[in-house]
Structures are given as structure tokens and as C-alpha cells.
Amino acid sequence: MKKIVLVGNVACGKTTLCQRLNGLKLQYEKTQALNVVNCTIDTPGEYLEHRSLMRGLTVVSADTDYVVFVQDASRDLYLYSPGQAAAFPVPVIGVVSKADIATEKQIAQAKELLELTGADPIFVLSSYTGDGVQALIDYLQDDIEEKA
Ligand SMILES: Nc1nc2c(ncn2[C@@H]2O[C@H](COP(=O)(O)OP(=O)(O)OP(=O)(O)O)[C@@H](O)[C@H]2O)c(=O)[nH]1
Ligand SMILES: [Mg+2]
């Protein structure tokens, strides 16, 4: 499994995705600090929301294979900037989260926003139902060479 760091605003679903990816019980717990679970680094949403903390994400990402931008499809709150993926030293992939409670239009909007950041590829999933999660797991298990 590739090493990833989850990035996204407060309550976008990073910890729940981390739990799902690692086969843990899904339970709400506010992330207060960087939390390493096997190959997944979970971060508090404040790291993205407060510009002064953003640099911390860049530093942490240097030791990973991928940054994962998580965008909550159910909320019209967009905190990423166009081209933001280029600020990281490793490739950025995107996750549209909470697809189970979002409309098709919201999902399309979230996907488009992540595309603008430069994240590629983008996975649409629900950590609650598990829909779409296996595609992400499969991607993270591939060798980088196989994707070229
Ligand atoms: N319906 C639905 N709710 C979800 C899903 N994933 C997470 N949630 C809910 O969204 C809320 C926030 O989820 P978290 O995973 O804690 O969010 P987070 O991004 O880790 O938030 P911070 O730790 O504050 O940065 C919780 O109430 C979750 O149960 C999902 O796939 N579907
Ligand atoms: Mg969290």
C-alpha cells in the first residue's frame, strides 16, 4: 500500500476514510494532530483552513507517495486553489467524499473543483457505504510503473 496523507477541510471525511481504508470501526473522533495509521497520515482540517498551517502539510507530504485532496460533495465549501497540487513535492490524487448524501450535480461540481487543483486521478466514494472505496485501494496498491 502506498503511503498517503489526507488533506481537506474540517469534517470533510478524512478520518472516516482513514478508518475505512484501514479496516477499522467507523467512529467519529475529531482529529487534533497528525495521526499515522499504517500507511495513512490523517491530518486535522485546520491544516488546510488556516493558511499559516498549510506549510506543515507540505513538509509532511514529502515523506509520502501521494497527497489526497478530499472534497466533501455534500457541502458547497471549496477551500482549494486552482493549481494547488503543484505546491506539493509528490503527486496529488483527489477524493470526492460523502457521495451517499450528495446529488449528482454536487458530485460533478466537487470533481470539477478537484480537477482544477491538478489532482489526478479523482475517486468518488462514500466511506459510510463503502461504494467507490475499493477503486482507491486498488490504485494505492498498484506499482507506480504500472500506471505510466
Ligand atoms: N453520510 C456520510 N457521512 C460521512 C462520511 N464520511 C464521514 N462522514 C461524517 O462526516 C463527519 C466528519 O467526518 P470526519 O471523518 O471526522 O471528518 P474529518 O475530515 O476527519 O474532520 P477533522 O478531523 O475535523 O478535520 C462525521 O460525522 C462523519 O460521520 C460518508 O461517507 N457519508
Ligand atoms: Mg479527522
Side-chain angles (χ1 to χ4, degrees):
M1 191 91 156
K2 300 292 178 203
K3 196 167 175 188
I4 57 172
V5 56
L6 300 174
V7 172
N9 61 268
V10 169
C12 71
K14 299 176 298 297
T15 298
T16 314
L17 177 59
C18 177
Q19 291 165 345
R20 174 64 83 170
L21 288 175
N22 288 282
L24 302 173
K25 185 174 170 223
L26 304 189
Q27 56 185 7
Y28 177 70
E29 194 177 334
K30 174 74 185 102
T31 310
Q32 304 286 7
L34 295 180
N35 189 25
V36 182
V37 182
N38 299 316
C39 291
T40 312
I41 303 175
D42 190 14
T43 67
E46 286 80 1
Y47 272 60
L48 178 70
E49 296 195 5
H50 302 288
R51 292 283 144 180
S52 57
L53 296 174
M54 276 282 304
R55 214 173 151 69
L57 291 175
T58 315
V59 173
V60 169
S61 69
D63 194 32
T64 66
D65 296 300
Y66 297 109
V67 170
V68 182
F69 282 178
V70 182
Q71 173 63 40
D72 180 347
S74 72
R75 275 183 84 187
D76 296 332
L77 173 69
Y78 306 121
L79 295 182
Y80 300 104
S81 313
Q84 190 166 355
F88 291 90
V90 296
V92 175
I93 63 179
V95 161
V96 174
S97 64
K98 305 192 192 179
D100 58 299
I101 52 167
T103 63
E104 284 303 317
K105 191 176 170 204
Q106 284 179 310
I107 290 170
Q109 270 176 348
K111 218 174 157 191
E112 196 177 323
L113 172 92
L114 287 175
E115 278 165 7
L116 282 174
T117 69
D120 181 52
I122 293 163
F123 300 87
V124 177
L125 56 81
S126 163
S127 300
Y128 267 21
T129 65
D131 286 349
V133 175
Q134 192 57 47
L136 174 60
I137 291 173
D138 290 348
Y139 186 85
L140 295 176
Q141 278 171 347
D142 282 347
D143 287 322
I144 287 173
E145 292 76 21
E146 287 174 17
K147 292 185 205 110

